[in-house]
Amino acid sequence: MDLLSGTYIFAVLLACVVFQSGAQEKNYVVQEEMPENVLIGDLLKDLNLSLTPEKSLTSPMQFKLVYKTGDVPLIRIEEDTGEIFTTGARIDREKLCASILVEAHCFYEVEVAVLPDEIFRLVKIRFMIEDINDNAPLFPATVINISIPENSAINSRYVLPAAIDHDIGINGVQSYQLIKGQSTFGLDVIETPEGDKMPQLIVQKELDREEKDTYVMKIKVEDGGFPQRSSTAILQVSVADTNDNHPVFKEDEIEVSIPENSPVGTSVTQLHATDADIGENAKIHFYFSNLVSNIARRLFHLNATTGLITIKEPLDREESPNHKLLVLASDGGLMPARAIVLVNVTDINDNVPSIDIRHIINPVNGTVLLSENAPINTKIALITVTDKDADNNGRVTCFTDQEAPFKLRPVFSNQFLLETAAHLDYETTREYAIKLLAADAGKPPLNQSTMFLIKVKDENDNAPFFTQPFISLSVPENNSPGIQLTKIRATDADSGHNAEINYLLDTDAPSEFNLDHRTGILTVVKKLDREKQEKYSFTVLAKDNGTMPLVTNATVLVTVLDQNDNSPVFTHSEYNFYVPENLPRHGTVGLITVTDIDYGENSAVTLSILDVNNEFTIDPHTGVIRPNISFDREKQESYTFYVKAEDGGRVSHSSTAKVTINVVDVNDNRPVFVVPSSNYSYELVLPSIIPGTVVFTAIATDNDTGMNAELRYSIVGGNTKGLFIIDKRTGNITLKEKCVVADLGLHRLIVKAKDLGEPDSLFNVVIVNLFINESVTNTTLIHELVHKNVETPVTQNIETVDVSSSTSDYSKIMGAIISGTLIVILSIFITAVVRCLQSSHLKAAQKKKHNSEWVTPNPENRQVIMMKNKKKHASKNLLLNFVTIKNNKADGTDNDGKNITLDLTVELEEQTMGKYNWGTTPTTFKTESPDLAQHYKSASPQPAFQIQPETPLNSKHHIIQELPLDNTFVACDSISKCSSSISDPYSVFECSYPVTTFKTPVSVHTRLWKIEGEKSVKSQRRVTFHLPGGSQESNSDGGHGDHDIGSIPSTSYALPLGYPQEEYFDHASSNNRTEGDGNSDPESRHADKYRQ
């Protein structure tokens, strides 16, 4: 336990010493059989060796291969670069590592010293020799003879001699193959625990020696390398008589240890094997397998009869520490027994240590020459001490036996660096003989010694010395070449050639100076110019004539004195300043810069403006120019004058420069519109123009320049329908969508022109009036509309004035008449069909009245809305429905149940009002027709009733008119005109309401009374208008509303109406009436307003 602890402590201490010694290890992989000059590695890069700028070296970095004298190294190293190459020596892994029995790595080690001493380090390089497939597997013989008993069972196995391949791993034996087995035999390969592959012959058919006693085949073995290698042998099988029991070893594996100093004949081990057979078949024969190495066969003897293994030759643990013996026991059969004997040779301290000196500093005649100036820790040699013994017997220490300025420093295990431990002095000691001792730790210990000779070499170790290390001189410029400045002197403490001094100018010295190398006289050889260079600083050297000359330097500073030989120089021959026109008086225009390369008063420059110029001033010292005036670019764009610069020398020098001040535009002008010339002009736009056509071009100008005059156009107001767009660069206004009838009229566009001035842009706006119509027939009306347009806020819309030409209206009216006629015919047909389906008594009542009803829409809409189911029309349309239409008997008559009730509802929604134009004169109106209103008034006591637009929405009005049954009532909305088609061709009924009275649904009730006498029947039709939400009410005096005699299910009819509410306020008159009094003339009201 004490021995193990001591070994552990020694290993730890050695590792610490190695770590602090600058030693390193580097591993490389090299294939065997590599050709010469193949690059293996680069130590400079692989070790990350780099020089720090602050560390100076006495000599360049050098890589030195350290090896024993007489050895042939397998690699070489470039001393300058550290690159490692192969040499011409063959790298054979099988030879280098012949003693390795198992598959393990093979290493080759060398040491490299990195010099000089300032960066010294010792690098141990380990090359792992990588196996290549350079050996073919070989059988022990080219002909293999085996004997197999004839009674061998099918699938019996017989061991064949294994092939040997000196390569390892995949390059070793991998497979066996039987060639021409004749289907009688097969081949199998088994792998032993040690990893060896053993071929076995398999009997696949029954054998009969009498029929055939010999079989001849070939067996082939292959490795797994690339390229693959193989060999063959002839396998001759003889069929023999039966031997059915195999020998058996008592122990399959035996491990023994024997000292290496055991004498020849010493018994190693006794093998025991038995065989159950008798007679000749029970006789066992022991022999070594062909896999046993030649060294083991040479060192050990196996008794074939007894199985005793003895030492045949003296053992040497250092040559081979262990041996593996594969012993076979055979009874003459083909399946011998196997046993493995592992022999470990134990160490005896029988080897003295060896001292191997590998010089880092090359010796001369066996002696190392070392300069007296060698620094401490200078590496001299690598001392390697080895002992072939093992454990403590092989642990070696190395030391010197005398006091000397040298030391041994451990770097690796059993390796030491011999280096200087103190400064050397040639005058004190000129030669050293160092005795190196190496001793192992065996009992008793063995030691070895050797002598190492070192001679100290004298050096030039005293450098010259300047009496004045810093020399300061002055000389005026424009000097004469060749004048002497001073004499430089230095001394040297050495003697002889080492004391002789040469004076030199260093490489930094300018060509204007010269130094005599013997006398040290410094002269100026060129004319100096202070303006080019005022000071010269350079180094002079003093070098002795020693073998290794020493150099000392001194610094010389030469100052050139100034003379006034230069005129002031402007930075520019001409100055151009750009100032904004709004620069205030006495503001800064710019700065004039002038230089004078002279010094002191010779360079003091004063500035002034030539000629009399009261518009600008200049500061004589700073060169700042300021204006005494206010700028206006539109009046004057630039100003030009000259500035004079004069220095302060005794004989002054001057120069002039031209100054031009350019006034830069400021964005101080707004854009001005040229087209249109005013807000009251207008442009005619034909409705037939296709979209994308330019209808007008707005043109504006700006008195500024550059970006301040660059304009962008946009529409910022009006254009409520989005019919027009404008190009932001050209101002072209184009039509965006195709015009429809509702787009006819005057359109106002607010056009903005904005410049791109910085930092704030300016703009202006103009009103562009575009009149969409076929022609201009009423100029006065258009001018009035334009003036009204200008005075109207932008939020209002007056662009929908209908000024259609009479030709356009005539075409529309004719189309409406044709459409209306077709609708009337279709309505009569539908009504007849409906009445035919009614009950029989209802048909009888209606036959007496011959009353038919339908709805005639306004022709301008060019649509006919037939009576449809109320469910098909949602609240998207303005609907006017008759709520109740009844036929009643007169007072006092019996109620026979023959009556008709038709309930309808009026609904108004703003969304659909703009889709219909009800401002056109109804086509059913005839000027020569009698006034139906007078007829109504005469037939009913109900007075005329009028609803004004300002009537409150919460008012409720009942308007009752007694109508003859022979008339057909036509309902309409409160905005447009309604016309009736009646059985009496001279009767017309019309109604008109302001839009404000239809904010909520309106219900209209029409009631019919039928009064029957004995011979005559009196029938009346009563119309009631209900305005929900109100309290006012007007009723008929007749009192017929209280006699409702039966009813039938009501039927709803929808009539679409529409007019934009926002447009209606401009057209609807405040005095619209219900047309009940017959005083409204629809033609006069609409024609006056829209006639051009």
Side-chain angles (χ1 to χ4, degrees):
M1 186 66 183
D2 295 337
L3 180 61
L4 294 176
S5 301
T7 303
Y8 175 76
I9 295 173
F10 176 79
V12 172
L13 293 176
L14 183 61
C16 295
V17 172
V18 169
F19 177 76
Q20 296 176 355
S21 64
Q24 288 183 272
E25 290 188 6
K26 183 63 182 175
N27 296 330
Y28 291 99
V29 177
V30 180
Q31 284 188 349
E32 63 172 335
E33 307 295 344
M34 291 285 286
E36 189 178 2
N37 293 327
V38 174
L39 178 65
I40 300 175
D42 187 339
L43 285 180
L44 185 64
K45 294 181 180 178
D46 298 340
L47 298 179
N48 295 322
L49 297 178
S50 59
L51 296 178
T52 56
E54 64 273 6
K55 181 178 288 186
S56 58
L57 302 180
T58 57
S59 61
M61 181 184 292
Q62 181 181 5
F63 297 87
K64 183 174 180 61
L65 185 64
V66 181
Y67 60 93
K68 187 176 181 179
T69 304
D71 288 349
V72 179
L74 300 181
I75 59 99
R76 66 179 177 86
I77 187 168
E78 291 290 334
E79 294 187 352
D80 297 334
T81 63
E83 294 178 332
I84 304 172
F85 295 90
T86 58
T87 65
R90 180 186 177 193
I91 302 175
D92 188 356
R93 190 198 67 83
E94 289 75 27
K95 183 177 179 181
L96 290 173
C97 303
S99 61
I100 297 179
L101 300 180
V102 296
E103 183 176 338
H105 296 302
C106 178
F107 291 98
Y108 170 73
E109 296 182 356
V110 295
E111 290 80 26
V112 175
V114 182
L115 303 174
D117 289 335
E118 293 87 341
I119 58 171
F120 176 83
R121 64 181 67 189
L122 185 65
V123 182
K124 180 183 288 293
I125 304 178
R126 301 182 68 196
F127 297 94
M128 188 179 74
I129 309 302
E130 192 177 57
D131 182 51
I132 65 171
N133 193 22
D134 58 342
N135 294 282
L138 297 174
F139 287 101
T142 58
V143 178
I144 301 173
N145 292 297
I146 65 170
S147 179
I148 299 177
E150 62 178 333
N151 62 346
S152 297
I154 296 177
N155 293 328
S156 298
R157 295 172 177 264
Y158 297 93
V159 177
L160 298 177
I164 299 175
D165 194 328
H166 294 291
D167 295 324
I168 61 173
I170 193 66
N171 296 326
V173 174
Q174 296 296 319
S175 64
Y176 291 88
Q177 182 181 356
L178 188 63
I179 302 174
K180 296 181 182 181
Q182 303 176 7
S183 73
T184 303
F185 299 97
L187 188 68
D188 190 17
V189 180
I190 63 172
E191 187 170 349
T192 65
E194 296 78 25
D196 297 326
K197 292 181 171 59
M198 303 293 295
Q200 291 183 347
L201 189 66
I202 302 174
V203 179
Q204 297 180 345
K205 289 183 179 181
E206 292 184 355
L207 302 177
D208 188 353
R209 190 187 64 81
E210 288 71 25
E211 181 180 345
K212 188 173 182 179
D213 61 351
T214 304
Y215 294 86
V216 178
M217 298 163 284
K218 283 186 178 181
I219 184 171
K220 181 179 181 181
V221 61
E222 294 178 334
D223 60 22
F226 182 83
Q228 191 177 51
R229 296 179 181 272
S230 64
S231 64
T232 60
I234 296 175
L235 177 62
Q236 185 170 318
V237 179
S238 300
V239 181
D241 285 334
T242 303
N243 181 13
D244 54 355
N245 288 290
H246 307 296
V248 177
F249 275 104
K250 184 178 179 180
E251 294 177 328
D252 293 337
E253 184 172 337
I254 301 173
E255 184 174 2
V256 296
S257 297
I258 185 168
E260 63 175 329
N261 62 348
S262 299
V264 174
T266 302
S267 175
V268 176
T269 186
Q270 174 67 57
L271 298 177
H272 298 279
T274 60
D275 193 317
D277 292 326
I278 61 175
E280 290 297 325
N281 292 333
K283 290 183 179 181
I284 299 175
H285 175 70
F286 298 92
Y287 60 95
F288 286 129
S289 170
N290 64 302
L291 295 178
V292 176
S293 66
N294 294 328
I295 296 177
R297 289 175 182 272
R298 178 172 56 84
L299 296 176
F300 299 97
H301 175 263
L302 175 62
N303 191 303
T305 303
T306 63
L308 177 64
I309 301 177
T310 58
I311 298 176
K312 186 178 179 181
E313 291 185 4
L315 302 179
D316 188 355
R317 190 205 63 83
E318 290 72 32
E319 180 183 357
S320 183
N322 48 61
H323 303 274
K324 183 175 73 171
L325 306 177
L326 179 59
V327 180
L328 302 179
S330 175
D331 61 355
L334 297 179
M335 289 296 293
R338 299 173 67 253
I340 296 177
V341 178
L342 297 177
V343 179
N344 297 317
V345 181
T346 59
D347 183 57
I348 298 296
N349 191 19
D350 56 348
N351 293 280
V352 297
S354 64
I355 301 175
D356 180 19
I357 300 175
R358 303 178 185 183
H359 293 88
I360 296 174
I361 298 177
N362 295 328
V364 178
N365 296 325
T367 303
V368 174
L369 297 179
L370 191 60
S371 171
E372 65 173 331
N373 293 331
I376 299 176
N377 299 327
T378 297
K379 280 67 180 177
I380 302 171
L382 176 65
I383 311 299
T384 302
V385 291
T386 58
D387 194 319
K388 294 182 180 180
D389 294 326
D391 300 328
N392 287 337
N393 296 331
R395 194 173 70 226
V396 183
T397 58
C398 186
F399 53 91
T400 62
D401 64 343
Q402 63 185 26
E403 292 293 333
F406 303 97
K407 64 181 178 179
L408 289 173
R409 181 165 60 88
V411 286
F412 295 113
S413 176
N414 294 339
Q415 286 187 312
F416 303 86
L417 274 175
L418 178 62
E419 57 187 16
T420 58
H423 292 289
L424 305 179
D425 189 357
Y426 173 82
E427 289 72 22
T428 302
T429 305
R430 299 184 179 185
E431 185 176 333
Y432 294 92
I434 304 172
K435 185 177 182 180
L436 301 176
L437 295 174
D440 61 24
K443 292 182 179 181
L446 301 178
N447 56 68
Q448 180 69 279
S449 65
T450 186
M451 298 300 294
F452 194 93
L453 298 179
I454 298 176
K455 288 186 177 181
V456 180
K457 181 182 177 182
D458 186 28
E459 300 291 346
N460 180 25
D461 52 356
N462 291 287
F465 175 75
F466 279 100
T467 57
Q468 189 178 358
F470 182 80
I471 304 169
S472 180
L473 306 172
S474 63
V475 59
E477 64 175 333
N478 303 322
N479 59 285
S480 300
I483 64 171
Q484 178 178 339
L485 296 179
T486 188
K487 184 177 181 179
I488 298 174
R489 294 191 60 185
T491 60
D492 194 318
D494 292 327
S495 60
H497 290 289
N498 294 334
E500 295 177 359
I501 298 176
N502 291 322
Y503 298 95
L504 304 171
L505 290 175
D506 203 356
T507 55
D508 63 343
S511 60
E512 288 83 355
F513 301 93
N514 182 56
L515 180 64
D516 188 280
H517 71 282
R518 290 185 178 274
T519 63
I521 295 176
L522 181 65
T523 57
V524 182
V525 295
K526 292 183 180 180
K527 182 179 180 180
L528 301 181
D529 187 352
R530 193 205 65 82
E531 286 71 35
K532 291 183 179 179
Q533 188 168 349
E534 182 179 1
K535 294 181 182 295
Y536 295 89
S537 178
F538 52 92
T539 304
V540 293
L541 306 176
K543 183 173 71 172
D544 61 26
N545 288 332
T547 304
M548 295 183 63
L550 300 179
V551 179
T552 304
N553 59 61
T555 301
V556 177
L557 177 63
V558 178
T559 302
V560 182
L561 303 179
D562 181 57
Q563 293 183 353
N564 190 22
D565 56 348
N566 293 282
S567 299
V569 177
F570 287 93
T571 55
H572 300 85
S573 60
E574 182 176 350
Y575 292 86
N576 285 281
F577 297 103
Y578 294 85
V579 297
E581 59 179 324
N582 59 355
L583 181 71
R585 289 189 179 184
H586 310 299
T588 300
V589 172
L591 178 67
I592 297 294
T593 304
V594 62
T595 59
D596 193 321
I597 58 178
D598 288 326
Y599 181 76
E601 292 297 327
N602 297 331
S603 63
V605 179
T606 302
L607 296 171
S608 60
I609 298 177
L610 295 179
D611 302 329
V612 178
N613 189 335
N614 295 326
E615 295 176 337
F616 299 93
T617 61
I618 186 169
D619 190 290
H621 303 293
T622 63
V624 176
I625 299 176
R626 303 181 186 276
N628 291 328
I629 59 173
S630 296
F631 296 108
D632 188 349
R633 187 192 62 81
E634 287 74 22
K635 293 182 179 179
Q636 185 171 350
E637 296 185 355
S638 64
Y639 300 85
T640 301
F641 52 87
Y642 287 87
V643 173
K644 177 183 177 181
E646 185 175 6
D647 63 24
R650 293 183 179 180
V651 179
S652 63
H653 298 272
S654 63
S655 59
T656 60
K658 181 181 179 181
V659 178
T660 301
I661 299 176
N662 301 283
V663 182
V664 179
D665 181 48
V666 175
N667 192 22
D668 55 354
N669 291 282
R670 294 180 178 273
V672 177
F673 277 94
V674 179
V675 179
S677 58
S678 71
N679 292 334
Y680 297 97
S681 61
Y682 67 92
E683 182 74 16
L684 176 65
V685 178
L686 298 178
S688 59
I689 292 178
I690 62 175
T693 304
V694 178
V695 300
F696 187 76
T697 299
I699 301 175
T701 61
D702 195 317
N703 290 333
D704 294 322
T705 60
M707 296 301 291
N708 297 332
E710 188 76 17
L711 301 182
R712 294 292 183 268
Y713 298 89
S714 60
I715 298 176
V716 297
N719 197 24
T720 56
K721 293 186 178 182
L723 287 177
F724 304 97
I725 57 176
I726 190 169
D727 187 283
K728 66 179 182 180
R729 294 182 181 275
T730 63
N732 292 335
I733 300 175
T734 57
L735 185 65
K736 183 180 179 182
E737 299 176 357
K738 186 174 179 61
C739 295
V740 297
V741 175
D743 297 331
L744 299 180
L746 186 66
H747 293 258
R748 172 176 58 172
L749 308 180
I750 308 300
V751 176
K752 176 182 177 181
K754 180 181 73 171
D755 60 31
L756 302 181
E758 292 293 342
D760 298 322
S761 63
L762 302 178
F763 68 91
N764 209 341
V765 296
V766 71
I767 298 177
V768 176
N769 299 291
L770 300 178
F771 181 64
I772 301 179
N773 203 37
E774 295 292 343
S775 63
V776 179
T777 57
N778 192 343
T779 306
T780 303
L781 176 60
I782 296 175
H783 281 294
E784 291 178 358
L785 292 175
V786 169
H787 281 73
K788 182 180 178 182
N789 189 357
V790 174
E791 298 169 358
T792 304
V794 178
T795 56
Q796 295 186 10
N797 179 15
I798 63 170
E799 297 176 358
T800 57
V801 178
D802 190 358
V803 287
S804 304
S805 62
S806 57
T807 303
S808 177
D809 288 344
Y810 178 76
S811 300
K812 297 175 183 177
I813 292 173
M814 291 305 296
I817 292 174
I818 297 173
S819 300
T821 304
L822 295 175
I823 292 172
V824 169
I825 296 173
L826 183 59
S827 300
I828 293 173
F829 175 75
I830 294 174
T831 303
V833 173
V834 172
R835 291 182 181 274
C836 291
L837 299 177
Q838 294 177 348
S839 61
S840 58
H841 78 274
L842 181 59
K843 290 181 180 179
Q846 289 182 347
K847 286 180 182 179
K848 296 178 182 180
K849 298 176 182 65
H850 299 290
N851 185 21
S852 61
E853 297 179 356
W854 62 87
V855 177
T856 304
N858 193 306
E860 183 62 20
N861 290 325
R862 299 178 184 178
Q863 300 180 17
V864 176
I865 308 302
M866 300 304 297
M867 296 180 180
K868 297 181 179 179
N869 196 330
K870 181 179 181 180
K871 295 181 180 179
K872 296 181 180 180
H873 297 274
S875 60
K876 293 183 179 180
N877 297 326
L878 173 64
L879 305 179
L880 180 63
N881 299 327
F882 298 98
V883 178
T884 305
I885 301 177
K886 297 182 179 179
N887 289 335
N888 299 325
K889 290 184 178 181
D891 294 338
T893 61
D894 295 334
N895 183 5
D896 56 1
K898 297 179 179 179
N899 58 5
I900 297 175
T901 301
L902 183 61
D903 293 332
L904 301 162
T905 306
V906 177
E907 295 179 357
L908 177 67
E909 186 175 303
E910 298 177 358
Q911 183 178 353
T912 57
M913 294 180 66
K915 297 181 179 180
Y916 302 94
N917 187 356
W918 297 82
T920 309
T921 304
T923 57
T924 57
F925 185 84
K926 300 181 178 61
T927 54
E928 66 275 16
S929 302
D931 189 358
L932 182 60
Q934 296 297 332
H935 176 70
Y936 294 159
K937 191 178 290 187
S938 63
S940 174
Q942 175 64 36
F945 189 85
Q946 179 176 351
I947 299 176
Q948 300 297 336
E950 63 272 10
T951 302
L953 295 178
N954 58 359
S955 300
K956 181 177 181 181
H957 302 279
H958 292 280
I959 307 167
I960 302 174
Q961 284 289 346
E962 300 296 338
L963 305 179
L965 291 176
D966 293 336
N967 288 294
T968 298
F969 179 77
V970 178
C972 65
D973 64 357
S974 63
I975 301 172
S976 63
K977 296 301 179 179
C978 301
S979 61
S980 63
S981 176
I982 56 177
S983 58
D984 183 358
Y986 300 102
S987 298
V988 174
F989 177 77
E990 297 177 345
C991 62
S992 175
Y993 289 97
V995 72
T996 54
T997 62
F998 287 88
K999 295 293 183 178
T1000 57
V1002 179
S1003 61
V1004 181
H1005 299 275
T1006 302
R1007 299 180 180 178
L1008 307 178
W1009 290 271
K1010 181 177 180 183
I1011 305 175
E1012 297 181 358
E1014 295 179 356
K1015 294 183 179 180
S1016 63
V1017 178
K1018 182 180 180 182
S1019 297
Q1020 288 184 336
R1021 175 175 296 174
R1022 185 172 186 178
V1023 179
T1024 303
F1025 294 84
H1026 290 281
L1027 303 178
S1031 60
Q1032 297 180 4
E1033 185 175 351
S1034 177
N1035 297 320
S1036 173
D1037 296 335
H1040 301 291
D1042 299 331
H1043 302 279
D1044 294 340
I1045 307 171
S1047 66
I1048 63 174
S1050 62
T1051 306
S1052 299
Y1053 304 93
L1055 180 62
L1057 308 174
Y1059 200 95
Q1061 291 187 17
E1062 59 182 1
E1063 298 177 3
Y1064 174 76
F1065 290 115
D1066 293 333
H1067 303 299
S1069 175
S1070 62
N1071 58 356
N1072 290 341
R1073 294 183 290 178
T1074 63
E1075 302 300 335
D1077 55 0
N1079 295 329
S1080 176
D1081 187 352
E1083 274 195 350
S1084 62
R1085 290 180 61 198
H1086 290 280
D1088 291 343
K1089 191 166 188 178
Y1090 301 113
R1091 186 179 299 114
Q1092 296 183 2

